[in-house]
RNA sequence: UGUCCCAUGGUGUAAUGGUAACACUCCGGUUUUUGGUAUCGUCAUUCUAGGUUCGAGUCCUAGUGGGACAACCA
């Protein structure tokens, strides 16, 4: 039972402090609160893992709450997509909540605040309101409607609710302090009129509450003990607390907002606006394009939920600006896939190799292990014959000592088959190699038990029998951006850093057993990387996405 | 010409006033029918200046650098 205790992060410290100060553990409750206005991305994954991870660590519930207070942007289809992504990551929420479920409570509280002189209806234009608000370095001034009577405020607010006014005619504002150093405290807007149909409440409401007025009160209604959000909301905390002050009952739990730094991953963008731009301008094929770092894109690319969760856990959580290198993510991806994926052979850039001393017309079914890591995964049969495809880059007429692959006069092993020796190659008029000739050692068949089969040769190549090869489409992905941080350049737009070679589509030659794979299945193409079957696959043509390459120390030496 | 947040190897995190550590990356060795995996190892870190203290990455002050804040968005 030696549980290796990992050090707490500062969020866990906050919770344990509260526990030590008398908060009972069963009062702990967390939430993940996305706005249903787009797809979740890798940044959200960190927040999901944080909140649901805390739920698991402390054995307490986590709500999934949709922050749906702006009908102009939100749609039911995003609600469904978000639920699917959270589930795919392997988390189960306690209650499924919507801020829109609280519209009536929020309204009633707002009416009470008007009666208490804590809120008023402002009838100015948004420009006038903005003008009076001042700037971060200059205090604001009070507007002309700030001291309206309670009766007038009540009547106007009711009128707003009943649809008697158009958008922008009136807003309800909290009466706080126009001179505050915190701009959010300068009489923030609580309600505005929006003439839109809401994806859940339909036409029932003409006024909609703003984020600040909604979020803390929603936390309170759900009795969330700790409300974690990203650092940009830190200035909102003062207002979060002020709004709570207006409504918290003494016998109820008072939620606490704390902030952490959003995780940025190199070579990606995560703002919805920018992701949308990539989709709209056709840089990618959609929100689930395998090059996108949306959860749905990562899923289609072949990322596993485990890899994402391990990544999130390993990078931890902090308060400083950060840019996590993509290779952290890829490390966890390879780590997980190495254990989970069967091995197969597929030649991406095929060239024909003829074994001149192998009988024409002969076919042998050779046994190949599905995983060197785990023999319990069993074996499959792979057909071998006189003509096979190998990778073009695996042959050189002459190569230096570091080149472990096939060259004239040298031996290599064909994986799970025979040791062959390079003899010569055939070239076309332009000097391009079109065909390689080799001879084989008939006694060297893998696991035949002969002395020859035990011989050590430096290189091992993967191969596919020409007569049995299954042509498949393979989509090779590279990073979508050529620089680590595409959206922080002061002069250049992030679109200028789009990698024009982020996708290469090729036809590869696969071993015949691969035709049994189904969409979503992941395998390792030995020596080449991890690949998964894309849903674009048809009866006639299988399509594979390259999830990630193998670590390749040779490629680095070679260049 | 404001308020607030942040600062530990190339990257991310830990050290809770007491020997600066872990992972990734990089580089190198061993094993290997994947130049993969596994395994061993090397290199490399507390922004600056003062102060408190027997002792400071940690506490205090100032500076420097980075970031947030002026949507009827969240």
């Amino acid at each position: 039972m030696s549980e290796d205790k990992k050090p707490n992060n500062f969020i866990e410290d906050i919770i344990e402090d509260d526990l030590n100060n008398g908060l009972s553990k069963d009062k702990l409750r967390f939430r993940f609160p996305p706005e249903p206005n787009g797809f979740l991305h890798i940044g959200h994954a960190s927040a999901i893992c944080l909140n649901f991870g805390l739920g698991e660590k402390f054995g307490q519930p986590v709500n999934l709450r949709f922050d749906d207070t702006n009908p102009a942007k939100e749609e039911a289809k995003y609600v469904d997509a978000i639920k699917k992504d959270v589930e795919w990551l392997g988390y189960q929420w306690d209650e499924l909540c919507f801020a829109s479920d609280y519209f009536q409570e929020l309204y009633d509280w707002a009416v009470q605040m008007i009666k208490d002189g804590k809120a008023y209806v402002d009838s100015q234009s948004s420009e006038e309101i903005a003008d009076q608000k001042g700037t971060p370095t200059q205090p604001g001034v009070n507007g002309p409607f700030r001291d309206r009577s309670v009766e007038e405020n009540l009547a106007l607010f009711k009128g707003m609710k009943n649809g008697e006014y158009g958008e922008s005619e009136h807003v309800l504002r909290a009466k706080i302090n126009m001179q505050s150093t915190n701009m959010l405290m300068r009489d923030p807007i609580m309600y505005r009129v929006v003439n839109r149909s809401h994806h859940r409440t339909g036409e029932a409401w003409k006024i909609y509450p703003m984020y600040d007025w909604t979020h803390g009160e929603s936390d309170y209604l759900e009795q969330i003990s700790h409300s974690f959000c990203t650092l940009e909301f830190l200035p909102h905390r003062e207002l979060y607390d002020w709004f709570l002050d207006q409504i918290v009952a003494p016998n109820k739990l008072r939620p606490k907002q704390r902030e952490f730094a959003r995780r940025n991953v190199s070579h990606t963008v995560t703002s919805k606006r920018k992701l949308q731009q990539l989709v709209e301008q056709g840089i990618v094929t959609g929100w689930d394009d395998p090059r996108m770092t949306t959860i749905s894109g990562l899923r289609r690319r072949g990322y596993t939920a485990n890899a994402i969760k391990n990544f999130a856990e390993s990078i931890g959580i902090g308060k400083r600006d950060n840019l996590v290198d993509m290779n952290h993510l890829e490390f966890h991806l390879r780590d997980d896939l190495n254990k989970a994926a069967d091995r197969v052979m597929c030649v991406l850039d095929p060239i024909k190799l003829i074994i001149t001393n192998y009988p024409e017309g002969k076919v042998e079914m050779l046994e190949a292990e599905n995983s060197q890591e785990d023999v319990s995964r069993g074996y499959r049969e792979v057909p071998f014959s006189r003509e096979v495809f190998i990778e073009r880059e695996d042959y050189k007429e002459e190569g230096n000592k570091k080149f472990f692959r096939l060259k004239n006069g040298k031996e290599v092993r064909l994986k799970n088959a025979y040791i062959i020796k390079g003899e010569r190659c055939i070239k076309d008029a332009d000097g391009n190699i079109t065909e390689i000739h080799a001879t084989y050692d008939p006694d060297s068949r893998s696991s035949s038990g002969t002395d020859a089969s035990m011989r050590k040769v430096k290189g091992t190549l993967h191969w596919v029998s020409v007569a049995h090869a299954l042509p498949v489409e393979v989509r090779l992905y590279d990073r979508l951006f050529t620089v680590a941080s595409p959206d922080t350049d002061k002069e250049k737009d992030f679109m200028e850093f789009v990698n024009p070679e982020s996708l290469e589509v090729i036809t590869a030659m696969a071993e015949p057993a691969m035709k049994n794979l189904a969409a979503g299945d992941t395998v390792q193409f030995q020596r080449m990387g991890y690949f998964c079957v894309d849903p674009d696959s048809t009866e006639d043509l299988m399509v594979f996405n390259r999830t990630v390459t193998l670590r390749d120390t040779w490629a680095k030496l070679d260049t």
Side-chain angles (χ1 to χ4, degrees), chain A residues 380-404:
Chain A
R380 67 187 187 287
E381 290 197 319
V382 185
F384 182 79
S385 64
R386 187 170 191 266
E387 298 188 357
V388 300
F389 289 119
I390 64 168
E391 297 288 344
R392 190 170 289 275
E393 64 170 17
D394 281 345
Y395 172 78
K396 281 184 184 174
E397 288 175 85
E398 293 175 35
N400 63 25
K401 273 202 174 118
K402 289 225 174 129
F403 187 78
F404 301 163

Side-chain angles (χ1 to χ4, degrees), chain A residues 11-211:
Chain A
I11 294 282
E12 291 161 340
D13 283 344
I14 289 169
I15 295 169
E16 288 191 350
D17 279 353
D18 288 337
L19 257 19
N20 292 334
N21 287 326
L23 179 68
S24 103
K25 189 176 164 189
D26 57 17
K27 294 283 189 196
L28 251 28
R29 195 177 196 95
F30 312 101
R31 108 268 89 117
F32 173 63
E35 181 187 17
N37 70 341
F39 294 88
L40 260 27
H41 53 67
I42 184 73
H44 293 110
S46 281
I48 293 169
C49 292
L50 172 70
N51 284 297
F52 283 93
L54 289 170
E56 284 176 357
K57 172 172 172 141
F58 292 99
Q60 294 300 320
V62 184
N63 290 350
L64 175 61
R65 179 170 75 230
F66 289 94
D67 226 332
D68 55 347
T69 58
N70 184 0
K73 289 190 176 174
E74 294 147 7
E75 294 178 45
K77 70 172 181 183
Y78 295 126
V79 171
D80 297 335
I82 288 168
K83 284 162 68 176
K84 177 179 173 183
D85 286 346
V86 174
E87 282 176 328
W88 177 75
L89 280 171
Y91 292 115
Q92 210 165 51
W93 51 84
D94 183 47
E95 293 174 34
L96 180 64
C97 307
F98 294 84
S100 52
D101 288 341
Y102 312 136
F103 282 171
Q104 187 61 48
E105 280 101 328
L106 290 166
Y107 177 80
D108 293 340
W109 276 326
V111 167
Q112 188 56 48
M113 281 176 65
I114 293 173
K115 289 177 180 166
D116 293 342
K118 297 283 186 61
Y120 63 97
V121 173
D122 196 331
S123 309
Q124 302 180 92
S125 69
S126 62
E127 292 76 23
E128 287 168 315
I129 290 174
D131 278 349
Q132 290 155 9
K133 214 163 194 173
T135 70
T137 54
Q138 287 175 312
V141 295
N142 293 352
F145 298 100
R146 200 166 193 268
D147 292 313
R148 272 219 252 244
S149 71
V150 169
E151 292 68 32
E152 194 181 357
N153 280 326
L154 249 17
L156 252 13
F157 187 46
K158 188 174 257 183
M160 286 167 62
K161 175 179 187 267
N162 292 338
E164 292 165 21
Y165 304 109
E167 294 185 4
S168 292
E169 281 187 59
H170 306 285
V171 291
L172 183 74
R173 291 229 257 170
K175 195 171 183 176
I176 308 180
N177 177 9
M178 290 303 289
Q179 282 78 244
S180 171
T181 52
N182 183 350
M183 299 228 21
L184 289 157
M185 300 299 280
R186 322 238 261 228
D187 290 10
I189 292 171
M190 295 171 66
Y191 276 96
R192 78 287 208 191
V193 174
V194 181
N195 282 317
R196 290 275 205 142
S197 177
H198 185 279
H199 71 103
R200 296 189 77 244
T201 62
E203 313 298 324
W205 291 86
K206 300 295 172 199
I207 55 172
Y208 290 89
M210 300 287 286
Y211 166 84

Side-chain angles (χ1 to χ4, degrees), chain A residues 342-344 366-375 377-382 415-416 446-447 511 526:
Chain A
D342 279 350
R343 273 61 169 167
V344 295
L366 303 177
E367 191 177 63
E369 69 280 6
N370 288 328
S371 172
Q372 290 85 339
E373 304 298 307
D374 180 6
V375 288
R377 287 174 166 280
Y379 298 82
R380 67 187 187 287
E381 290 197 319
V382 185
K415 176 74 180 167
N416 299 124
S446 291
S447 58
E511 66 170 85
Q526 288 185 101

